[in-house]
Amino acid sequence: MDVFWNPEKFLQFLPIFIRTSFFIFAVPMFSSQVVIPIIRLGLSFSVALAIYSGLSSAGISFSLPVDLASIFVGILSELFISFLIFLIIRIFLTAPQLSGEAMSYQLGYGFMTITNPFEENPLSVISEFFFFISMVIFFVLDLHIGFFWGLKESFKMVPPFYAVLNERFPEFFNEKISESFAVSVQIALPILLATFIVEISTGIVSRTIPQFNIFVVGFPIKILIGLFLLAFTFDRIAFLIGEFFKKFIEVLSDSLKLSM
């Protein structure tokens, strides 16, 4: 393939590579710090090259801007739109981690953090557990296949160099942040309510019986109740994460429609 020797074909390949890189790096498993940068770069390059090679057979065609200034503006617009979609996907996939952080804070596990091997960020134990569960569900539901399909279809919906930010995009962005936060609250709500009841109960006991140091036993009781509820409601948590992730392709499609 003469994509690297033909300036026109290289300019056609460049925005495809930019968008593919942002999309792949939005998924934690694909952008893992465990994988060395050259491998991640090679993955983005391979996927972009495969998409570029199949554009004509898929009936996708686009023309280059007429002058150098238009090419520069087109590349900048591609960077900007790809970054916004990267943020939406990232926020969408990190909802379970947010609920895990809320649970850890209430149960006292917020002080005990471990390093996420995929992102090298310190996270609480429960948040790390939810991260791995959510990634397993992501691949079990074959959403990675839908992700690459959506990446290919994005070039049909939004041709390279011609991405334009719709005026509804900020509203859509805020809507997805709110939806992600709402799902996080639904996942963590049983444990948050249980720990709140334990806190109220220990406060009442400490007021009525001041001689009894209830906080010495109240803290381990809160941890035991929280862990019991986490085990008891795990199927519900996995169901909520799965139902939330099923909207992934819809969110990806809607975000692309607002970039036309």
Side-chain angles (χ1 to χ4, degrees), residues 21-37:
S21 301
F22 273 99
F23 271 58
I24 289 179
F25 287 177
V27 180
M29 280 292 185
F30 297 145
S31 62
S32 169
Q33 297 294 330
V34 177
V35 184
I36 59 177

Side-chain angles (χ1 to χ4, degrees), residues 26-57:
V27 180
M29 280 292 185
F30 297 145
S31 62
S32 169
Q33 297 294 330
V34 177
V35 184
I36 59 177
I38 190 65
I39 299 297
R40 286 183 284 152
L41 187 63
L43 175 64
S44 302
F45 176 79
S46 302
V47 174
L49 194 61
I51 293 175
Y52 176 77
S53 302
L55 287 181
S56 58
S57 60

Side-chain angles (χ1 to χ4, degrees), residues 18 21 53 70 81 89 111 133 137 145 148 170 194-195 201 241:
I18 292 173
S21 301
S53 302
S70 301
I81 296 298
I89 297 174
F111 299 102
I133 293 299
I137 293 175
I145 298 176
F148 284 112
T195 54
S201 303
I241 295 175

Side-chain angles (χ1 to χ4, degrees), residues 25-202:
F25 287 177
V27 180
M29 280 292 185
F30 297 145
S31 62
S32 169
Q33 297 294 330
V34 177
V35 184
I36 59 177
I38 190 65
I39 299 297
R40 286 183 284 152
L41 187 63
L43 175 64
S44 302
F45 176 79
S46 302
V47 174
L49 194 61
I51 293 175
Y52 176 77
S53 302
L55 287 181
S56 58
S57 60
I60 303 173
S61 61
F62 62 94
S63 58
L64 288 174
V66 294
D67 52 24
L68 186 60
S70 301
I71 292 175
F72 182 73
V73 171
I75 292 176
L76 287 180
S77 66
E78 188 69 38
L79 282 169
F80 182 67
I81 296 298
S82 299
F83 180 71
L84 288 179
I85 296 176
F86 164 85
L87 284 180
I88 290 177
I89 297 174
R90 198 68 168 183
I91 292 170
F92 192 85
L93 294 179
T94 53
Q97 287 180 275
L98 180 60
S99 61
E101 287 293 331
M103 290 182 188
S104 299
Y105 180 78
Q106 289 296 322
L107 294 177
Y109 282 96
F111 299 102
M112 185 173 60
T113 60
I114 58 177
T115 301
N116 188 334
F118 291 95
E119 298 179 336
E120 296 185 354
N121 294 327
L123 295 173
S124 63
V125 176
I126 299 179
S127 180
E128 186 74 9
F129 175 69
F130 280 3
F131 170 79
F132 284 107
I133 293 299
S134 61
M135 287 298 100
V136 169
I137 293 175
F138 182 84
F139 285 98
V140 166
L141 295 177
D142 291 334
L143 291 178
H144 59 292
I145 298 176
F147 171 78
F148 284 112
W149 175 84
L151 175 59
K152 180 182 72 69
E153 290 296 313
S154 71
F155 293 99
K156 184 182 298 184
M157 300 173 63
V158 185
F161 294 111
Y162 296 98
V164 179
L165 186 62
N166 191 289
E167 59 182 8
R168 286 194 62 249
F169 202 98
E171 178 184 351
F172 177 79
F173 188 78
N174 293 331
E175 177 185 341
K176 294 309 164 186
I177 292 178
S178 302
E179 184 177 345
S180 177
F181 181 76
V183 172
S184 301
V185 172
Q186 291 179 31
I187 294 173
L189 188 60
I191 293 180
L192 295 181
L193 287 177
T195 54
F196 178 73
I197 293 173
V198 172
E199 291 283 354
I200 295 295
S201 303
T202 54

